[in-house]
Amino acid sequence: MSKHLKVALVDDDIPNTEVLRDFLIRNGYNHVDKYHDGESFLESLDRFDERAVVLDFDLSGGGDLNGLEVLEAIKERSPSTHVIFFSGQDSLEVAVESLKNGADDYIVKSNAAFALVKTSLDKVYDIQVLKLNERRSQRISWMMAIGWMATIAAVALYFAGQ
Amino acid sequence: MEIIDRLSAGDPEKKKYYIRLFLDTLEPELENLRGADVSQAQEPIRAILHKLKSQVQTIGARETHAIMAQQEQDIKSGGQIDQGQLDETCRQLSDLIENLQELLK
């Protein structure tokens, strides 16, 4: 099943990012972009309106910003964007800091990491779908309310004219 | 190699494409590790170990990954690795690269 969720992978590890991208595409995420440094991702953030970001902590092979700095910039400019921290650092300090700063999840790179990223993205996708359905049913409720009010007004006008 | 096998799904060209991707990073970084001086500050060695350990893990070389993770942790917590430890890591990486190159033939 195709999942309509824009995903950005931000990681300076080129081969693993490529493999993860293919893995996610195979699992239904058709729109997956990759960036190898925080700076180029942040440049594109406004343009592409990413919905979920899988963000590495140590981006030193790419640019000057680390993952926590990129997270801070994302939350400042696009608070609704979901961020999944994906790090080779099994560090409680970084995990706590990232979650405190608005990350939705913290995944340590391991043998099962790709599957865990997919599971985490599935949760984000489910939330998006729920929000979308909620907005749709709210819109339908409003339209029905307006329809009823228009009908009542028309009936009232009809009887007023009698 | 499990994830690569699954993604390439029996397509030998796709599998070779992934292997080349990893080799493009592993080969130059092995040279960097070989040229590293353990008597100097070891942060550059730690950075290389950190970078390579995830890749080695994806390829499925568990033992090499465990060694690299341990050495990275040792340096991070203020310790040092000696020349013998670095040589062992380089030997393991070199074997891994050879195995990958074999798969390209």
Side-chain angles (χ1 to χ4, degrees), chain A residues 41-113:
Chain A
F41 167 68
L42 289 174
E43 264 173 41
S44 74
L45 181 62
D46 302 326
R47 265 203 320 273
F48 293 111
D49 186 27
E50 307 288 349
R51 297 290 180 204
V53 183
V54 180
L55 177 62
D56 184 23
F57 170 69
D58 187 342
L59 296 165
S60 55
D64 293 329
L65 296 174
N66 71 33
L68 285 173
E69 291 163 333
V70 177
L71 170 65
E72 202 179 312
I74 294 169
K75 288 295 165 184
E76 217 174 86
R77 287 160 53 182
S78 177
S80 63
T81 296
H82 295 269
V83 180
I84 296 159
F85 238 77
F86 186 49
S87 174
Q89 313 255 349
D90 190 1
S91 154
L92 187 63
E93 199 182 310
V94 177
V96 169
E97 201 58 29
S98 63
L99 295 171
K100 226 166 66 182
N101 286 301
D104 295 78
D105 207 349
Y106 185 91
I107 295 168
V108 177
K109 291 178 181 175
S110 67
N111 284 330

Side-chain angles (χ1 to χ4, degrees), chain A residues 12-16 18-20 22-24 26 34 56 58 60-61 87-91 109-111 114, chain B residues 3-4 6-9 14 17-18 21-22 25 46-47 50-51 53-58 62 65 72 76:
Chain A
D12 59 345
D13 181 342
I14 294 170
N16 267 329
E18 184 73 26
V19 173
L20 177 58
D22 288 358
F23 175 79
L24 293 175
R26 185 161 285 223
K34 357 167 240 181
D56 184 23
D58 187 342
S60 55
S87 174
Q89 313 255 349
D90 190 1
S91 154
K109 291 178 181 175
S110 67
N111 284 330
F114 289 179
Chain B
I3 184 94
I4 291 174
R6 217 182 321 149
L7 282 176
S8 45
K14 188 83 182 165
Y17 164 75
Y18 287 128
L21 264 180
F22 283 98
T25 309
R46 189 210 60 79
H50 176 78
K51 183 177 178 183
K53 75 171 188 197
S54 305
Q55 298 182 18
V56 163
Q57 188 172 45
T58 305
R62 290 189 182 139
H65 170 263
E72 184 200 5
K76 217 164 84 177

